[in-house]
Amino acid sequence: EAGVAQSPRYKIIEKRQSVAFWCNPISGHATLYWYQQILGQGPKLLIQFQNNGVVDDSQLPKDRFSAERLKGVDSTLKIQPAKLEDSAVYLCASSLGRGGTKNEKLFFGSGTQLSVL
Amino acid sequence: GESVGLHLPTLSVQEGDNSIINCAYSNSASDYFIWYKQESGKGPQFIIDIRSNMDKRQGQRVTVLLNKTVKHLSLQIAATQPGDSAVYFCAEKKMNTGNQFYFGTGTSLTVIP
């Protein structure tokens, strides 16, 4: 089956500019996540969607980050304006999200590497 | 706060030897754990998982051990190969809490040919 698709693969912007990332989860996966992975660290959850609703966005810096999943499939994550400390890999993951062990595994995309200069 | 941590940030092993990667967790309510492998430039890839009602689970060349008494998780890789070189993360979650995983810092495994 096709995996989680993300684009762009790389993005370089200057601070105070805006940027958007796109994610297409595995077909049929109800739950979608955005993670931020700073170099040398583990992924940190930014936001979790169940279908088109937000389950948890407690760690999303809402003054500059926003995300949506309007039709319950694709999702976009936006940063506006970007700061130097936003330089990281932004990973999208999905899961079936219907309970039970097999449904709980996260499947990750390759990520978007963002460099803010 | 709660955290998932790893004992060693880097590990080097000879090809063919067995590797052991350790992980300590502090949330005693965590009851589901996953090991992920992340190669350079790629997203984390599922390796093996274990529930808290188990002590051991085996996969192909990999074994995960869970010691709930000391809140310790380990990943054993048998006959380590160059393709096993990557960063390994343990992730924990509490069941029925929105499927939120918390990741540790990671251990970088280097296999020496």
Side-chain angles (χ1 to χ4, degrees):
Chain A
E1 65 181 4
V4 177
Q6 289 190 247
S7 67
R9 191 73 180 85
Y10 304 93
K11 192 72 178 178
I12 300 173
I13 61 172
E14 294 186 348
K15 59 183 179 183
R16 291 187 290 273
Q17 286 186 324
S18 61
V19 64
F21 313 125
W22 174 83
C23 172
N24 186 3
I26 292 173
S27 178
H29 280 197
T31 310
L32 184 147
Y33 314 77
W34 284 102
Y35 281 84
Q36 179 192 59
Q37 187 176 23
I38 293 172
L39 186 65
Q41 298 182 17
K44 173 189 141 186
L45 180 68
L46 292 175
I47 189 168
Q48 176 186 349
F49 291 94
Q50 179 76 16
N51 298 310
N52 61 349
V54 175
V55 174
D56 183 358
D57 63 357
S58 59
Q59 299 188 80
L60 187 73
K62 297 180 188 63
D63 58 333
R64 298 183 300 105
F65 286 65
S66 65
E68 59 183 16
R69 193 186 184 200
L70 294 175
K71 296 183 179 179
V73 181
D74 293 7
S75 177
T76 55
L77 175 69
K78 296 179 182 178
I79 307 175
Q80 181 180 10
K83 292 185 175 181
L84 297 177
E85 59 261 36
D86 298 332
S87 294
V89 174
Y90 290 84
L91 293 163
C92 180
S94 69
S95 68
L96 276 171
R98 293 172 192 162
T101 302
K102 292 183 180 178
N103 298 338
E104 291 172 347
K105 285 181 234 179
L106 301 187
F107 295 87
F108 285 86
S110 295
T112 295
Q113 186 172 326
L114 174 67
S115 297
V116 182
L117 307 177
Chain B
E2 296 162 343
S3 65
V4 178
L6 296 173
H7 292 305
L8 295 173
T10 61
L11 177 65
S12 295
V13 299
Q14 289 290 142
E15 181 178 358
D17 287 351
N18 296 333
S19 303
I20 300 176
I21 301 172
N22 297 303
C23 177
Y25 64 95
S26 56
N27 185 352
S28 57
S30 293
D31 48 15
Y32 181 51
F33 305 87
I34 297 181
W35 280 102
Y36 281 92
K37 171 187 179 183
Q38 188 172 27
E39 295 174 276
S40 180
K42 297 183 180 180
Q45 177 186 2
F46 172 88
I47 301 175
I48 191 167
D49 59 356
I50 189 168
R51 290 207 178 281
S52 59
N53 61 354
M54 301 173 68
D55 297 324
K56 178 180 179 179
R57 191 157 189 233
Q58 288 185 288
Q60 187 177 18
R61 283 203 305 120
V62 295
T63 301
V64 55
L65 298 177
L66 177 62
N67 185 332
K68 295 180 286 294
T69 302
V70 294
K71 294 199 284 283
H72 184 268
L73 193 69
S74 69
L75 176 70
Q76 300 178 1
I77 305 174
T80 313
Q81 302 169 0
D84 295 327
S85 293
V87 177
Y88 290 81
F89 295 96
C90 66
E92 64 173 317
K93 79 177 285 285
K94 288 166 56 177
M95 289 286 288
N96 303 320
T97 56
N99 213 33
Q100 295 163 22
F101 284 89
Y102 296 92
F103 287 78
T105 303
T107 293
S108 177
L109 173 66
T110 300
V111 180
I112 303 167

